Amino acid sequence: MARRPPRTLSNEDRKLWSAVAKTVTRNAQPKKPVLDQSRPKPKPTPARTPEPDFKVQDFRIGETAPPALPGHRLSPSISDRLAAAPVRMDHATHKKMKRGKLSPEGRIDLHGMTLDQAHPALIGFIQRAQAQGKRLVLVITGKGKHRDDPGPIPARRGVLKHQVPAWLRAVPLSGLVLEIREAHLRHGGSGAYYVYLRRSR
């Protein structure tokens, strides 16, 4: 098979190419800006430290400390929370109960029990009392013991004292209990609770 001769441009193609080439200009490389070495370099602006939401006031020895900041107030005790709760029972009966003038119709002593023992015991007691038509019962929890060595993590004193109101407000007892208040001194004071039950249907 014979090889074809190499293709060459015709005279017309050469004239056309020459005309196009004359219109093309070479791209000039952009010059890099020359830095003025005589001027000092600008110093970086330091990051601004945000100001705290509060200002620490000067304090001198012997002065009374200012009140605690709103975000650092301790939560109220269980006694304060129960005392501040709205009254849901008859007000006249409530006043008698607070003064210790109503005698509980039943009582249970959870003092010394573990949480696993106390919870089912409380549920059974409240359910039986409500089924029997009792209205006011006494739940004894104890005040809790002070530890000689609380350890690195502070533990709440009186676990049962704090847990029993939560149990009474939770299922299955929440529908049976009308009111929870700390007992009068004659019935155990802060180591016991009056539990006023709803009428059985």
Side-chain angles (χ1 to χ4, degrees):
M1 184 174 179
R3 295 181 60 184
R4 292 182 182 179
R7 186 178 179 184
T8 59
L9 296 175
S10 65
N11 289 335
E12 292 179 3
D13 290 340
R14 288 177 181 172
K15 289 179 182 179
L16 180 62
W17 175 251
S18 178
V20 172
K22 289 179 181 179
T23 62
V24 177
T25 57
R26 187 178 179 183
N27 289 337
Q29 294 292 331
K31 295 182 179 180
K32 295 183 179 179
V34 179
L35 297 177
D36 188 358
Q37 300 295 334
S38 62
R39 292 184 181 180
K41 294 181 180 180
K43 295 181 180 179
T45 305
R48 185 177 179 185
T49 304
E51 295 184 3
D53 295 336
F54 62 91
K55 293 184 178 179
V56 178
Q57 298 178 353
D58 293 335
F59 182 75
R60 297 179 182 177
I61 297 175
E63 289 183 344
T64 304
L69 296 171
H72 293 78
R73 290 177 183 168
L74 298 175
S75 60
S77 66
I78 186 68
S79 302
D80 293 337
R81 291 200 298 271
L82 287 176
V87 178
R88 297 188 293 177
M89 59 186 288
D90 176 69
H91 284 264
T93 307
H94 178 259
K95 287 182 180 179
K96 290 181 181 179
M97 183 180 73
K98 279 183 64 178
R99 295 172 183 170
K101 294 185 177 181
L102 292 181
S103 298
E105 302 167 69
R107 69 180 60 211
I108 183 172
D109 191 352
L110 305 177
H111 186 244
M113 293 187 186
T114 64
L115 292 176
D116 291 339
Q117 294 169 336
H119 193 198
L122 177 67
I123 291 174
F125 169 74
I126 295 295
Q127 289 176 337
R128 288 190 299 273
Q130 201 264 352
Q132 294 167 2
K134 295 177 180 177
R135 300 304 306 276
L136 180 64
V137 295
L138 187 70
V139 178
I140 302 169
T141 62
K143 299 177 182 179
K145 295 180 180 180
H146 281 295
R147 288 206 223 165
D148 295 334
D149 181 15
I153 301 175
R156 178 173 282 172
R157 182 188 176 201
V159 177
L160 278 177
K161 176 178 170 59
H162 287 82
Q163 196 63 42
V164 162
W167 289 341
L168 292 169
R169 292 193 182 104
V171 177
L173 300 180
S174 56
L176 309 180
V177 175
L178 186 63
E179 197 76 56
I180 309 164
R181 299 289 166 171
E182 272 194 359
H184 188 272
L185 285 175
R186 71 176 63 183
H187 294 133
S190 60
Y193 291 113
Y194 290 136
V195 181
Y196 201 77
L197 303 175
R198 298 181 186 274
R199 294 187 184 276
S200 56
R201 296 177 183 177

